[in-house]
Amino acid sequence: MLFSIFILAFVLSGCDLGNYSARISGNNSNMGSPQQNAGNKTDSMNAADQAESLLPPLTVLDIKQKYDSPKQTTLMPLYNVEHDKKFKFRFNCNMTDLFFYENVVTVHTDQRALPESKIGTFNYLEDYNADKSVLVVEPSFAVLTSEETGRDFETSWGYAPIYYLRVNYDLDASERTELEKPIIIPFTIKSELQAPHVRYEIDADGRFKLVWDEVKGAEKYNVYNVYSSGNKEPLPGPEQGYKHAFPGRVGTVTNTEFQDFYLDGNDGLQYGQYQGKLGQKAITAQNFIVNGQYYVTAVKDGAESNFGPPVDAMELSNSLPTFLVNNEIYYMDYKTAKDLPKTTKVYTIDETVLTRSILYDPEHIEEKESYVLIPFKVEGTLLSGKAMVSSLDKKDLEVLRQGNTVNDNPQSSKEGFIQIESFSAHGPGPEVPTIIRNSFFRSKIDEDELIDAQRRNTKQVVEKGNQESVPQTDPANPVPVHADSAVEEYLALHLMAASQKISLKAFPETQNFEVLYDTVDKVIYQNPLILDVKSYGYDYRSLTLHINYSDSKSNIKKKQEEIIAEATRLVKWIIKDGASEDDKRKAIYDYLNDHTRYDDAALANVEQYGFKKFDARFNDSFNTYGILVKKIGVCASYASAYKLLSDLAGLESIVITGTLDNVPHTWNKVKINNEWLNVDPTNNETNSGIPYWLFDSNDETAQDMQFVINDKYWIDYDMKQFAGKTNSHDYYISHGLQMDSMEQFHDKLTESIQQGNPKLFVRFDDPIDEPAMLDTLIEVYSGFPPDIHENAVYTIYDNYLIVSH
């Protein structure tokens, strides 16, 4: 059996919340009953088990009929066909009167087979005079090739990870009939070596690196790049048929990681030599020449694998730091330490400007004859050097040690999420047969009848799969299953029931790796009762999804019951009769702020393992049970708990995955007036020191705060529906706490003191001008008695200002 193992590392480095478009499944939704799997001890039958045993059996076909999808429009994939394979389609009618044959059957590189992803083919009829037509489809132009690969100048499909035949006319009709819904047939190209499964890592200093799993038999790996001018223009990936994408080789390595994008041995770092007084070396740039999309192939004895799915650096182009906007700190002569800047502006790879704190190291000062050199580092980067100061006294050193704020320094943002990842190759290995059949009988298939054979085979396999039973949920369970298709509901019911083996015979569309990864990830992230999934992998030969859990089936069932009971109790308690949707969202957020806390020990544990895994004692901190029942967890637990409470309160929300300050994070999106706005329940006042830091905010605000969404939480092509542009619901805007000038801040602070408020939180449109802000504080407090301002302190955190007295 060939497995594609996906390690689901639910390590919290942040909180992510995705968008949500759910179908409530009624009696067949929610938490699945625990059917016994091999290796598990039989659980004693409780009330929920007894309730399920009284339900009529549920089959896959029952679920398909509920979604009006019993008709099969996708065939099982054809694996490992020859790179120049000619496909023959036998029509039960005469097709000769068609002027063009190119659109009868088309070939695409995207799973939806949209027109944009169509690639070049040569289509012709074998016999023009026959009553029944045979259409031949062969490649006319190879895609995803370069001067380095061997399929450039021959008739070949190319090196893409997967292709899709789209049959637009009915093969069985006696008269030419165009299909309302085309038939899709995925196929992969045979290669002597498995394509590496490539992913990226970003370290704590914001540095980008490609990593992949070792490919058996590979001697080396080629790294290719499709360059983007300015890192701003979208690149042609599978959705565009890789049009005009000709990857160029940028490096060859024998290990399984790559960071030397400039090929200078500095791993993407650039050093500056500043002569004159300093004569110092400094790291002046990082992520040097990181650009566009990257592919990796495996090589042995001159044979090269196909390309796997690309790693797109453009998705991160507005968050990966590169170099300082102004390099004056490297060569300025500051009179005293008080003159040293506390923040600096940093470019990202697409020239977005970030504001970052400067961290000074007063313990390693170099004293020279007429000046001192103070080492510094820009927070969240490796950009570093030494600042020159003419004079330095003990008070100055103490100020440096205390940091940039006066008092009550907010805690750093809470992250710590580990995404679901596949740590093995995408797609079947070269030994997997072209057709995976339902029986062990292996008669030879005529290559000219490959399409017909797969049509018959798919029908038999699907018919058998449709009769398989599906776990059911307790009808009294109020938590809905979130699913937009039969296969999503089928997977959700199995995963909530902690099934270890899930047959995919009934769903050919999931038997190609692109659809499988998207679908499984979406189902797990958007269903809060799916707990403790540790890893999953697919066996191409048996068409079975294998799931490993970090807890026993019986314990998972008990935790689900506790989650449902506690969530039901909380919603009745915190949601008042007649509450508006705005009131409900705020009530859920406030409850999580007031009654739960972030698990710093879990975060530290995950950081220890480089955000790749965590110790078993922290399992619950990464799922719904942690925050909802134990009242402690990391961002993944916060986001999942927020979604579950929203579900029971009648609100639409989703869980989002991505990064915050380049660290993996999860948060939520909520639906308000047909838009999806961002809420981060983790970084609340209790955990970060700033109330409603990201609450009902649009995407632009979230991006400005370094929230970057990735594509792990939803089906990729559906993600655009979750955009949020309106910002009138943002907490700071709707409450009059967004400041566009120091004059406005002057009036707001005066009003707050007059009203007797001990603390004021505001957010500025632009980075805070600290000297101007201090002048404003002095002016305002001078109008009040000394007991008001003598203990006043302020804290700056990005564009946020906290003033207390």
Side-chain angles (χ1 to χ4, degrees):
M1 299 204 310
L2 177 67
F3 292 93
S4 289
I5 304 293
F6 302 64
I7 303 293
L8 276 197
F10 269 57
V11 177
L12 285 185
S13 153
C15 303
D16 56 80
L17 171 59
N19 36 16
Y20 159 64
S21 175
R23 179 189 295 269
I24 297 178
S25 302
N27 290 345
N28 295 328
S29 63
N30 309 323
M31 186 176 63
S33 64
Q35 293 189 342
Q36 202 57 43
N37 294 314
N40 285 351
K41 295 181 179 179
T42 303
D43 298 316
S44 60
M45 182 171 286
N46 55 27
D49 296 325
Q50 293 173 353
E52 182 193 344
S53 68
L54 299 176
L55 294 173
L58 179 69
T59 67
V60 175
L61 186 60
D62 293 331
I63 297 178
K64 286 186 174 183
Q65 289 172 336
K66 185 169 67 171
Y67 286 85
D68 297 323
S69 59
K71 186 176 180 180
Q72 192 62 49
T73 58
T74 301
L75 297 192
M76 294 169 63
L78 296 166
Y79 296 126
N80 293 320
V81 303
E82 295 301 323
H83 69 90
D84 57 354
K85 172 67 182 173
K86 298 178 183 179
F87 295 99
K88 293 189 177 183
F89 294 86
R90 302 179 186 279
F91 288 89
N92 195 38
C93 62
N94 191 304
M95 305 285 285
T96 56
D97 57 342
L98 273 178
F99 187 69
F100 292 109
Y101 301 111
E102 286 81 359
N103 292 324
V104 176
V105 177
T106 53
V107 181
H108 303 257
T109 53
D110 175 64
Q111 56 186 284
R112 290 181 296 166
L114 295 179
E116 305 86 72
S117 67
K118 180 181 174 182
I119 65 174
T121 62
F122 179 46
N123 296 8
Y124 57 91
L125 295 180
E126 266 193 348
D127 186 348
Y128 286 89
N129 299 316
D131 292 336
K132 298 181 181 181
S133 299
V134 177
L135 179 72
V136 180
V137 178
E138 64 180 56
S140 66
F141 183 77
V143 300
L144 208 61
T145 64
S146 73
E147 293 180 359
E148 306 290 337
T149 57
R151 301 175 192 163
D152 304 12
F153 306 106
E154 54 184 310
T155 301
S156 170
W157 294 109
Y159 280 84
I162 191 167
Y163 302 82
Y164 299 87
L165 291 157
R166 171 178 166 144
V167 184
N168 298 307
Y169 285 81
D170 194 330
L171 291 161
D172 300 317
S174 57
E175 295 183 3
R176 190 176 72 250
T177 305
E178 190 167 0
L179 295 168
E180 290 185 14
K181 203 168 184 181
I183 296 172
I184 306 297
I185 313 171
F187 69 93
T188 63
I189 303 301
K190 186 175 182 61
S191 171
E192 294 182 29
L193 291 168
Q194 185 85 52
H197 169 44
V198 188
R199 55 199 180 275
Y200 68 83
E201 291 180 356
I202 302 174
D203 64 19
D205 292 315
R207 298 173 65 208
F208 177 84
K209 178 169 65 175
L210 298 173
V211 295
W212 57 91
D213 298 316
E214 182 179 358
V215 173
K216 184 178 180 180
E219 297 172 346
K220 58 184 178 181
Y221 304 91
N222 285 336
V223 180
Y224 293 88
N225 172 242
V226 178
Y227 186 81
S228 168
S229 177
N231 268 301
K232 294 180 180 179
E233 295 299 322
L235 288 169
E239 296 83 6
Q240 294 80 32
Y242 303 102
K243 291 177 176 64
H244 312 297
F246 299 100
R249 187 163 61 90
V250 295
T252 300
V253 295
T254 55
N255 59 356
T256 56
E257 61 182 45
F258 186 80
Q259 197 170 24
D260 190 15
F261 299 98
Y262 194 55
L263 300 179
D264 61 355
N266 290 326
D267 287 341
L269 298 176
Q270 191 175 29
Y271 297 87
Q273 182 74 41
Y274 293 89
Q275 303 297 333
K277 275 189 174 182
L278 294 181
Q280 67 174 55
K281 257 192 173 181
I283 299 177
T284 59
Q286 62 182 56
N287 296 315
F288 201 46
I289 316 298
V290 171
N291 182 294
Q293 294 172 338
Y294 291 94
Y295 300 85
V296 178
T297 61
V299 181
K300 179 184 180 182
D301 296 333
E304 189 167 15
S305 72
N306 295 322
F307 288 85
V311 169
D312 194 349
M314 285 192 63
E315 294 180 352
L316 309 165
S317 61
N318 64 347
S319 64
L320 291 174
T322 54
F323 52 87
L324 300 184
V325 174
N326 189 335
N327 289 329
E328 67 176 12
I329 190 171
Y330 290 115
Y331 50 82
M332 279 287 291
D333 186 352
Y334 298 97
K335 290 183 179 180
T336 70
K338 294 179 182 178
D339 298 317
L340 290 170
K342 296 176 181 178
T343 62
T344 186
K345 296 185 183 300
V346 181
Y347 278 129
T348 64
I349 63 176
D350 69 351
E351 297 187 355
T352 296
V353 177
L354 310 176
T355 300
R356 292 293 174 90
S357 297
I358 301 176
L359 308 176
Y360 295 97
D361 181 6
E363 308 304 326
H364 296 88
I365 292 174
E366 295 181 27
E367 295 189 16
K368 304 295 183 179
E369 186 174 340
S370 59
Y371 58 90
V372 296
L373 294 176
I374 305 176
F376 72 87
K377 177 178 179 291
V378 178
E379 186 178 28
T381 76
L382 272 185
L383 303 175
S384 58
K386 296 175 184 177
M388 185 170 60
V389 176
S390 298
S391 63
L392 188 69
D393 60 27
K394 291 182 179 180
K395 286 186 178 180
D396 294 333
L397 282 174
E398 192 58 34
V399 170
L400 289 176
R401 290 190 180 99
Q402 289 176 355
N404 295 333
T405 56
V406 177
N407 200 358
D408 291 340
N409 189 23
Q411 303 174 37
S412 60
S413 58
K414 301 296 185 181
E415 301 120 347
F417 170 72
I418 290 186
Q419 296 175 343
I420 303 171
E421 289 285 355
S422 166
F423 288 95
S424 61
H426 286 250
E431 74 283 357
V432 174
T434 297
I435 290 183
I436 306 296
R437 286 187 279 182
N438 190 39
S439 69
F440 290 102
F441 180 65
R442 293 290 183 263
S443 60
K444 187 176 180 180
I445 296 174
D446 188 335
E447 284 294 309
D448 286 345
E449 297 183 356
L450 193 61
I451 300 297
D452 291 334
Q454 187 63 300
R455 291 180 69 202
R456 294 190 298 269
N457 178 60
T458 299
K459 182 180 179 181
Q460 294 171 0
V461 173
V462 170
E463 285 178 350
K464 183 174 181 179
N466 283 342
Q467 303 309 312
E468 294 177 337
S469 62
V470 184
Q472 299 188 64
T473 61
D474 182 356
N477 180 359
V479 181
V481 163
H482 294 294
D484 294 308
S485 65
V487 66
E488 289 179 18
E489 182 167 330
Y490 171 76
L491 288 172
L493 290 171
H494 267 294
L495 290 164
M496 286 189 284
S499 300
Q500 293 177 321
K501 296 180 180 180
I502 305 174
S503 168
L504 295 181
K505 290 184 175 69
F507 300 100
E509 65 269 28
T510 63
Q511 295 168 23
N512 95 66
F513 47 88
E514 289 184 335
V515 177
L516 180 66
Y517 298 170
D518 266 357
T519 306
V520 173
D521 287 356
K522 174 188 174 183
V523 168
I524 291 174
Y525 289 135
Q526 305 309 327
N527 286 279
L529 289 181
I530 296 176
L531 306 177
D532 299 318
V533 177
K534 185 178 181 181
S535 63
Y536 66 89
Y538 182 59
D539 178 358
Y540 287 89
R541 289 181 179 273
S542 67
L543 310 179
T544 302
L545 186 66
H546 294 256
I547 313 292
N548 295 320
Y549 299 88
S550 57
D551 205 345
S552 69
K553 188 170 186 174
S554 59
N555 283 345
I556 290 173
K557 187 65 176 287
K558 290 175 184 177
K559 286 193 286 189
Q560 288 169 332
E561 292 169 351
E562 290 182 62
I563 287 170
I564 294 169
E566 179 65 358
T568 304
R569 181 189 73 82
L570 287 176
V571 169
K572 290 181 180 178
W573 175 44
I574 65 177
I575 305 297
K576 307 303 180 186
D577 291 341
S580 67
E581 289 193 352
D582 287 343
D583 292 337
K584 290 178 181 179
R585 282 189 294 272
K586 187 172 182 297
I588 295 170
Y589 183 96
D590 289 343
Y591 169 80
L592 295 176
N593 176 72
D594 298 340
H595 298 279
T596 67
R597 62 187 177 88
Y598 190 86
D599 194 342
D600 290 298
L603 176 60
N605 182 255
V606 137
E607 288 177 330
Q608 175 185 342
Y609 293 113
F611 296 103
K612 290 182 173 64
K613 64 177 182 177
F614 51 85
D615 292 340
R617 67 182 186 276
F618 296 113
N619 279 350
D620 292 333
S621 289
F622 294 92
N623 62 41
T624 315
Y625 189 80
I627 284 297
L628 208 57
V629 178
K630 299 170 74 173
K631 312 303 178 185
I632 183 172
V634 293
C635 64
S637 186
Y638 271 96
S640 187
Y642 186 94
K643 173 162 179 53
L644 179 56
L645 294 174
S646 297
D647 289 346
L648 296 186
L651 301 170
E652 289 191 77
S653 71
I654 58 170
V655 172
I656 297 289
T657 65
T659 60
L660 173 57
D661 285 330
N662 291 320
V663 180
H665 187 58
T666 58
W667 63 101
N668 300 89
K669 274 198 170 189
V670 295
K671 190 175 185 181
I672 303 177
N673 297 335
N674 294 318
E675 285 193 280
W676 291 87
L677 302 177
N678 296 273
V679 173
D680 184 1
T682 306
N683 287 293
N684 51 36
E685 184 175 7
T686 297
N687 293 334
S688 71
I690 301 175
Y692 307 102
W693 190 46
L694 186 74
F695 187 81
D696 293 352
S697 304
N698 67 6
D699 294 338
E700 183 178 355
T701 297
Q703 290 167 8
D704 289 343
M705 296 166 63
Q706 303 312 305
F707 286 82
V708 177
I709 294 175
N710 66 21
D711 61 357
K712 303 297 183 186
Y713 63 92
W714 206 268
I715 306 300
D716 296 354
Y717 53 77
D718 283 336
M719 289 174 56
K720 293 180 181 178
Q721 67 182 295
F722 299 109
K725 296 182 179 180
T726 302
N727 221 24
S728 58
H729 296 275
D730 181 278
Y731 180 85
Y732 282 83
I733 293 175
S734 62
H735 286 73
L737 300 174
Q738 181 82 8
M739 304 290 106
D740 59 13
S741 66
M742 282 299 162
E743 290 77 13
Q744 186 181 7
F745 170 60
H746 178 287
D747 296 341
K748 177 59 68 174
L749 179 59
T750 302
E751 176 188 356
S752 178
I753 296 173
Q754 290 172 343
Q755 293 175 349
N757 298 323
K759 188 176 288 190
L760 174 67
F761 297 84
V762 294
R763 184 177 70 197
F764 284 80
D765 289 342
D766 300 311
I768 296 170
D769 182 342
E770 191 166 357
M773 185 273 299
L774 285 170
D775 290 341
T776 304
L777 287 180
I778 293 171
E779 182 179 347
V780 171
Y781 280 118
S782 64
F784 291 92
D787 62 321
I788 295 293
H789 60 71
E790 61 187 6
N791 293 319
V793 295
Y794 71 90
T795 300
I796 296 175
Y797 187 76
D798 289 336
N799 289 18
Y800 293 83
L801 174 64
I802 307 168
V803 181
S804 57
H805 40 262

